[in-house]
Amino acid sequence: MDTGQVIDIDVLSKYCACKNKKNHKMNCKSNFRGSSGMMEVKGACNIFKRSLTFHNTRYMKYLEDGDSKAFDAIAKEIIYGDEFQVEKLECIGHVMKRMGSRLRRLK
């Protein structure tokens, strides 16, 4: 964000510091219920869905860390319609890690 290259973020949190969990305060930081994996999925989908409204932009590529379910959710929802498909990119560090593990197992 400090470089100016980030154009959108979605902050989701399961943390709640309210003493009474049933009656949350107005400034409660908790805005998500569910698993941490689903939090990543929801955040990515939110950002893709509002890209046209906020920035008049369609994201063409999605860079994931190799164990993310977010791309599958984006592809399943067909956010931009049938005429525009998002391309999945994989982090080279995670690819190297998986490949190295598999090669060591084969050896």
Side-chain angles (χ1 to χ4, degrees):
M1 287 179 52
D2 294 335
T3 64
Q5 294 180 350
V6 175
I7 62 172
D8 197 1
I9 63 168
D10 195 20
V11 179
L12 299 175
S13 175
K14 297 192 303 182
Y15 178 73
C16 175
C18 300
K19 294 192 188 316
N20 183 354
K21 301 293 185 194
K22 301 228 187 274
N23 188 13
H24 294 277
K25 295 179 183 178
M26 292 298 288
N27 61 353
C28 181
K29 303 281 190 248
S30 176
N31 63 359
F32 182 80
R33 290 195 185 10
S35 70
S36 297
M38 288 311 295
M39 188 185 304
E40 182 180 359
V41 169
K42 175 117 170 96
C45 285
N46 288 346
I47 290 171
F48 271 74
K49 285 178 184 175
R50 66 180 176 226
S51 67
L52 282 169
T53 306
F54 282 15
H55 308 291
N56 196 26
T57 300
R58 289 185 178 118
Y59 297 121
M60 297 173 55
K61 300 177 182 185
Y62 180 82
L63 178 64
E64 72 171 306
D65 62 3
D67 60 353
S68 172
K69 296 179 183 93
F71 178 78
D72 295 335
I74 290 166
K76 181 179 168 186
E77 288 200 30
I78 312 172
I79 292 172
Y80 299 130
D82 289 331
E83 72 280 354
F84 190 86
Q85 299 294 320
V86 178
E87 180 184 350
K88 175 181 169 183
L89 303 175
E90 290 208 41
C91 172
I92 191 67
H94 285 84
V95 171
M96 286 175 28
K97 178 181 170 185
R98 286 196 313 268
M99 183 63 96
S101 297
R102 290 178 182 142
L103 287 171
R104 282 189 293 281
R105 251 186 279 143
L106 279 174
K107 183 182 168 191

